[in-house]
């Protein structure tokens, strides 16, 4: 969407080269920094593999990069072993050219403000400075596919990002409780999915209604068990979605002890009905750490929009924090569980959310 670029791979490096002068290189640079698997990203000047061409490129390209700096050092990497000079010799020669062109600079080999790199690669020589960190992680999809239980809160989008960074394609499952939750709440979740698509490209959001389940819990079960029972229904439905969409794990934003349903005992009760591994990348983070990551990834401002999700409907005043599985199952026996699950399953629909749409 940003123009015509040639993309090639060689020697553990991806080269992205504009094919005309009109391509949006700035936008491409920003997008590449969001691609999992890249440790670092840099813009570089390319030239022929001889010292005269390298000197000319350094004099033309580097002053703008080094302006405002007081100290630098020059490093070289000679991937083409047929090049006549060795890496230390290349670095010394180019460093000398930089000092001659910009005499206000000083060399600092230990703690420079900026490092200039000269790389002798397979086809060309490359000169760059000001390398930036990439998204890191491992390439999207290399770890398989997981189903993210996506609420409208702060935690679950962070969990989705963290597992995508570890190579998982992400599908999402969202539970709604119309009319207790609003259309704005649904749109908020889709916007969160769209923000995650900056890193995940596309997310299919599967939406299931829990309205009748929650009403039946309210009418038939003890209030202190509402949240635990609801989460078990969520896990049962997540099992079905994961099976249908060929996901190999469930992903949640739970943090140990953060709320009543996230104590160790409560997690054991909900996991008892999970048929897939439940990945909880936020489990050891406190709320401030999760918020910091949400700000970093760009989902925080949407997450705090004041539209409530289904978990805030019929919230018990005094929820169980140390539930016993047998007593939870006794509460569950008051319901026609299979009929409720099937009714909820039949309400499902899917919204495909894509990065550039």
């Amino acid at each position: 969407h940003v123009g015509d670029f040639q993309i090639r791979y060689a020697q553990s490096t991806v080269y992205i080269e504009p094919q005309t002068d009109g391509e949006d290189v700035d936008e491409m640079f920003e997008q590449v920094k969001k691609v999992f698997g890249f440790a670092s990203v840099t813009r570089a000047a390319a030239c022929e593999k001889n010292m005269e061409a390298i000197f000319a490129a350094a004099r033309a390209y580097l002053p703008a990069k080094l302006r405002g700096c007081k100290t630098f050092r020059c490093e070289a990497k000679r991937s083409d072993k047929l090049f006549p000079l060795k890496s230390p010799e290349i670095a010394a020669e180019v460093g000398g050219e930089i000092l001659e062109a910009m005499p206000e600079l000083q060399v600092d080999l230990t703690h420079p403000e900026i490092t200039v790199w000269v790389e002798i690669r397979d086809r060309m020589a490359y000169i760059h400075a000001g390398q930036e960190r990439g998204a890191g992680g491992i390439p999207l999809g290399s770890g398989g596919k997981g189903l993210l239980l996506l609420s409208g809160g702060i935690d679950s989008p962070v969990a989705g990002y963290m597992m995508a960074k570890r190579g998982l394609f992400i599908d999402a499952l969202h539970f709604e409780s119309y009319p207790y939750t609003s259309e704005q709440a649904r749109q908020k979740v889709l916007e969160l999915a769209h923000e995650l698509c900056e890193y995940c490209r596309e997310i299919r959001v599967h939406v299931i209604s829990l309205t009748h389940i929650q009403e039946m819990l309210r009418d038939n079960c003890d209030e202190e068990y509402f949240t635990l029972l609801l989460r078990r229904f969520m896990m049962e439905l997540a099992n079905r979605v994961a099976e249908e969409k060929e996901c190999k794990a469930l992903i949640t934003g739970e943090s140990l002890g953060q709320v009543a349903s996230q104590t160790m005992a409560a997690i054991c009760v909900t996991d008892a009905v999970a048929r897939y591994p439940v990945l909880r990348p936020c489990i050891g983070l406190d709320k401030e750490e999760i918020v910091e990551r949400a700000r970093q990834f760009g989902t925080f401002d949407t997450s705090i929009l004041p539209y409530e999700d289904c978990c805030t409907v019929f919230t018990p005043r005094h929820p169980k924090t140390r539930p016993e599985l047998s007593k939870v199952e006794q509460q569950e026996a008051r319901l026609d569980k299979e009929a409720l699950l099937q009714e909820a399953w039949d309400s499902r629909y899917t919204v495909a959310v894509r990065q550039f749409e």
Side-chain angles (χ1 to χ4, degrees), residues 113-145:
E113 290 182 56
I114 194 167
T115 298
V116 173
W117 279 92
V118 181
E119 301 193 31
I120 312 299
R121 293 282 184 165
D122 58 337
R123 298 185 185 179
M124 307 283 283
Y126 296 89
I127 301 168
H128 59 87
Q131 180 171 278
E132 296 190 27
R133 291 186 63 180
I138 58 178
L140 192 65
S142 61
K145 185 178 177 183

Side-chain angles (χ1 to χ4, degrees), residues 6-40:
Q6 182 188 69
I7 303 173
R8 65 184 181 89
Y9 176 82
Q11 298 175 319
S12 301
T13 300
V14 175
Y15 300 84
I16 303 172
E17 301 172 2
Q19 297 303 287
T20 72
D21 292 337
E23 313 306 346
D24 193 344
V25 179
D26 292 336
E27 177 63 14
M28 174 61 87
F29 184 70
E30 292 304 314
Q31 289 296 330
V32 170
K33 288 194 292 184
K34 297 177 181 179
V35 176
F36 294 128
F38 288 144
S40 61

Side-chain angles (χ1 to χ4, degrees), residues 212-259:
H212 192 210
I213 289 175
Q214 291 186 277
E215 291 173 339
M216 293 300 289
L217 290 174
R218 176 197 63 192
D219 296 340
N220 295 279
C221 300
D222 295 344
E223 180 184 329
E224 60 191 358
Y225 288 98
F226 284 179
T227 302
L228 288 166
L229 293 168
L230 181 64
R231 292 180 72 83
R232 281 167 63 88
F233 274 102
M234 290 178 173
M235 282 293 187
E236 294 267 24
L237 291 164
N239 289 333
R240 297 190 183 194
V241 176
E243 180 177 10
E244 182 178 81
K245 304 305 176 183
E246 299 183 336
C247 300
K248 301 304 182 186
L250 309 180
I251 305 164
T252 76
E254 291 163 296
S255 170
L256 187 63
Q258 183 167 257
V259 293

Side-chain angles (χ1 to χ4, degrees), residues 155 253-259 262 282-287 290:
D155 305 342
E254 291 163 296
S255 170
L256 187 63
Q258 183 167 257
V259 293
Q262 295 175 18
C282 299
I283 196 71
L285 303 179
D286 62 33
K287 195 66 177 185
I290 297 172

